[in-house]
Amino acid sequence: MKSARAAVLPPEPAGSQVEAAYWRLRQEIICGNLAPSAKLRIDLLRQSYGFGASALREALSRLVSDGLAEAEAQRGYWVAPISREELNDITMARQSVEVEALRQAIRFGTLEWESGIVAASHSLERVETSMVKPTPETVAGWEHANRQFHMALIAGCPSRWLLRFTASLYDQWQRYRHRTVLRRAIPRRGLSADHKELIRLTLAREADAACAALSRHIEDTARKAEAAIFESIPIKAGPNSARRKSGKA
Amino acid sequence: MKSARAAVLPPEPAGSQVEAAYWRLRQEIICGNLAPSAKLRIDLLRQSYGFGASALREALSRLVSDGLAEAEAQRGYWVAPISREELNDITMARQSVEVEALRQAIRFGTLEWESGIVAASHSLERVETSMVKPTPETVAGWEHANRQFHMALIAGCPSRWLLRFTASLYDQWQRYRHRTVLRRAIPRRGLSADHKELIRLTLAREADAACAALSRHIEDTARKAEAAIFESIPIKAGPNSARRKSGKA
DNA sequence: CCCGACCATAAAATCGATATTCTAAGTTTT
DNA sequence: AAAACTTAGAATATCGATTTTATGGTCGGG
């Protein structure tokens, strides 16, 4: 039981303080505990999470490179803002990059790749089936399983750069979707028709159809998130989200 | 005269020590002064460039995110290695991402975008015309102008993410091409037929033809670099390029 | 003679303290 | 009254010293 649990929890490879700080902050940003556009004050984070100042600076640096945070010299760090425009941008970019990665995966993928898809979809199905109510823990497990599934789909792509970009975009996307997961109704039990079809077409190596299905899937989920975030009840924007729009000097 | 010069020199926005260190190291890696796979020892860099240890660590962190360096916890930093495989990967990824960016630029580009292309191609032509012999300075100017030109081509693309990925890949590519520029014959005077055609098709908004031309251009230049680097005289690999291939613990 | 554990050296990671820069409130001047 | 200057406060950036961890050679045992 315990090992089965561990497998669905998000990994936090803490080989060093910096890594630990990086993964922690990353998680906090993605799941919204650190709200978009919030100021990230070093000494405050220091006492909140118990990391050293240097480690935090280094972690924040990496988050800036990932596009999860922003920095201005001598002014400090902020959580990257979110907006309808950027959600659309992320969606469009995924439709370019992730779909191309899938195409190449279908073209070059090995048996090992196919097995990975089957394994990941099994995990995802199991998690979805056992998730009766969305709590922070089950949601974290589901998000991890879903990420693993999407990565498994394209893992057969031989281009390490496309894979890297895809992962980067997926993390960005998760920031948006996370805000919609907690409020949505109890999820269906088992994989969605979307996913099943995507798996079938991919394993059948029907590239065009599979790519179209993935593109549609990306579009649909993004539209739902867009509606949930920007058109229904606006979630607390946070009082500390003041950010100079600033023309630079 | 001086201002005209300044315009073609690569920018090094040194708003802070960390930024300065970052841009300096980045330049040294791209132009090969810091050889691929070379160990990056903090205290050594410290006395070589005169930056503080913390600033260097932070800069190195960012370079890792950019894929220009690698890190292993408790073991330090290395310059990212180069290989024929990765060159092919970068090339393929550019053909996916950069070409898609061009397609969107052609579709959505404004008048300002067109002007940017004309301006950048003018700069590039001027630099190429005035470059009688490849010296480190003129090469740096030419590489900057060439980069500006490629970025100008796709600047009309509305997706900030695609632009970011393209820039990232272009930097990677520059590492490879730089090793071929110094040894090649005296360049033609003025823009290549390749570039002229690419500009013409782009400004005429003939998307398919322009994308095909760009894809071919990327492929051709990559092939030339591949031949120059991996099939002719192997450049000094550097005695300090020893790197554990290492299975991780 | 070979293998494994131990110790000395060197490098990297972390922490705390100092200096610099920015922000904002209060004051003065026009 | 409005604008600009001054000054106190806070946050960031930088540097040096300490702690922790890896590495390579050596000694002792099998």
Side-chain angles (χ1 to χ4, degrees):
Chain A
M1 187 68 170
K2 192 181 175 186
S3 63
R5 275 238 171 147
V8 300
L9 284 178
E12 296 185 11
S16 67
Q17 289 286 86
V18 173
E19 286 256 307
Y22 171 75
W23 287 104
R24 179 67 187 276
L25 289 178
R26 176 194 180 86
Q27 191 60 28
E28 297 287 349
I29 290 175
I30 289 178
C31 77
N33 278 348
L34 292 171
S37 301
K39 185 79 175 67
L40 294 166
R41 269 171 44 190
I42 304 277
D43 51 353
L44 228 143
L45 295 174
R46 197 183 143 128
Q47 71 186 83
S48 293
Y49 299 106
F51 294 112
S54 309
L56 281 170
R57 280 190 61 81
E58 215 175 307
L60 287 170
S61 242
R62 289 181 59 182
L63 290 168
V64 170
S65 289
D66 293 347
L68 289 170
E70 294 185 350
E72 263 174 87
Q74 264 71 33
R75 307 263 323 275
Y77 295 87
W78 288 263
V79 178
I82 65 173
S83 68
R84 190 192 287 256
E85 290 73 30
E86 181 158 32
L87 173 55
N88 287 331
D89 187 354
I90 292 164
T91 304
M92 182 198 300
R94 285 184 73 200
Q95 287 178 318
S96 297
V97 178
E98 190 167 336
V99 168
E100 173 64 24
L102 178 63
R103 190 175 296 277
Q104 293 190 17
I106 290 173
R107 187 164 167 196
F108 299 108
T110 63
L111 173 60
E112 189 186 3
W113 162 68
E114 291 184 9
S115 308
I117 295 175
V118 175
S121 62
H122 172 74
S123 280
L124 180 58
E125 182 167 27
R126 183 63 67 90
V127 169
E128 292 206 339
T129 304
S130 65
M131 182 168 69
V132 288
K133 211 177 72 173
T135 68
E137 292 80 24
T138 58
V139 164
W142 178 77
E143 286 181 331
H144 178 62
N146 204 6
R147 186 183 202 278
Q148 291 298 102
F149 169 68
H150 271 265
M151 292 302 131
L153 266 184
I154 60 167
C157 169
S159 170
R160 291 184 55 246
W161 280 98
L162 287 185
L163 292 177
R164 176 196 285 235
F165 293 151
T166 302
S168 199
L169 287 170
Y170 192 86
D171 292 333
Q172 290 288 331
W173 155 239
Q174 268 204 25
R175 282 185 83 201
Y176 288 84
R177 189 193 43 204
H178 184 89
R179 339 196 105 220
T180 73
V181 174
L182 281 171
R183 60 168 73 174
R184 88 175 182 200
I186 293 173
R188 72 262 155 199
R189 299 178 77 81
L191 294 178
S192 68
D194 254 27
H195 277 168
K196 282 181 185 162
E197 183 69 357
L198 188 49
I199 294 168
R200 191 186 66 75
L201 290 170
T202 300
L203 292 179
R205 310 247 179 184
E206 297 184 19
D208 289 338
C211 287
L214 178 57
S215 187
R216 236 182 301 116
H217 175 70
I218 291 171
E219 182 81 27
D220 290 347
T221 49
R223 287 290 153 265
K224 277 180 201 160
E226 187 183 13
I229 297 173
F230 298 107
E231 281 162 23
S232 77
I233 320 99
I235 309 187
K236 47 167 184 179
N240 48 358
S241 53
R243 171 79 196 275
R244 282 222 323 230
K245 275 296 174 183
S246 89
K248 303 189 176 183
Chain B
M1 187 70 170
K2 193 181 176 187
S3 63
R5 276 237 171 148
V8 301
L9 285 178
E12 295 183 11
S16 69
Q17 288 288 88
V18 172
E19 287 256 307
Y22 171 75
W23 287 104
R24 179 67 188 273
L25 289 178
R26 176 194 180 87
Q27 190 60 27
E28 297 286 348
I29 290 174
I30 289 178
C31 79
N33 277 348
L34 292 170
S37 300
K39 185 79 174 68
L40 293 167
R41 270 172 43 192
I42 305 276
D43 50 353
L44 227 142
L45 295 174
R46 197 183 143 128
Q47 71 185 84
S48 293
Y49 299 105
F51 294 112
S54 308
L56 280 170
R57 279 189 63 82
E58 216 174 306
L60 287 169
S61 245
R62 290 181 58 184
L63 289 168
V64 170
S65 290
D66 294 346
L68 289 169
E70 293 184 350
E72 263 175 89
Q74 265 70 32
R75 306 262 324 275
Y77 295 87
W78 288 262
V79 178
I82 65 173
S83 67
R84 188 192 290 254
E85 290 73 31
E86 180 157 34
L87 172 55
N88 287 331
D89 187 353
I90 292 165
T91 303
M92 183 198 300
R94 285 185 72 202
Q95 287 178 318
S96 297
V97 179
E98 191 169 333
V99 169
E100 174 63 24
L102 177 63
R103 188 175 298 277
Q104 293 191 18
I106 289 173
R107 188 162 166 198
F108 299 107
T110 63
L111 173 60
E112 189 187 4
W113 163 68
E114 292 184 8
S115 308
I117 295 176
V118 175
S121 62
H122 172 74
S123 281
L124 180 57
E125 182 167 27
R126 184 62 68 92
V127 169
E128 291 205 340
T129 304
S130 65
M131 183 168 67
V132 287
K133 212 176 72 174
T135 68
E137 292 80 25
T138 59
V139 163
W142 178 78
E143 286 180 331
H144 178 62
N146 204 7
R147 186 184 202 278
Q148 291 299 100
F149 169 69
H150 272 265
M151 292 302 131
L153 266 184
I154 59 167
C157 169
S159 169
R160 291 184 56 248
W161 281 98
L162 287 185
L163 292 177
R164 178 196 284 236
F165 293 152
T166 302
S168 199
L169 288 170
Y170 192 86
D171 292 333
Q172 290 288 331
W173 154 239
Q174 268 204 26
R175 284 185 81 201
Y176 288 84
R177 191 194 42 203
H178 183 89
R179 339 195 104 220
T180 72
V181 174
L182 282 171
R183 61 167 74 176
R184 89 175 182 201
I186 293 172
R188 72 265 155 196
R189 299 178 77 82
L191 294 177
S192 68
D194 254 28
H195 278 169
K196 283 182 186 163
E197 183 69 357
L198 187 50
I199 294 168
R200 191 185 68 76
L201 290 170
T202 300
L203 291 180
R205 311 246 177 183
E206 296 185 19
D208 289 339
C211 287
L214 178 58
S215 188
R216 238 182 299 115
H217 175 71
I218 291 171
E219 182 81 27
D220 290 347
T221 49
R223 286 290 154 265
K224 278 181 200 159
E226 186 182 15
I229 297 173
F230 297 107
E231 280 163 23
S232 76
I233 321 98
I235 309 188
K236 47 168 184 178
N240 48 357
S241 53
R243 171 81 195 275
R244 283 218 324 227
K245 275 298 173 180
S246 90
K248 302 190 178 183

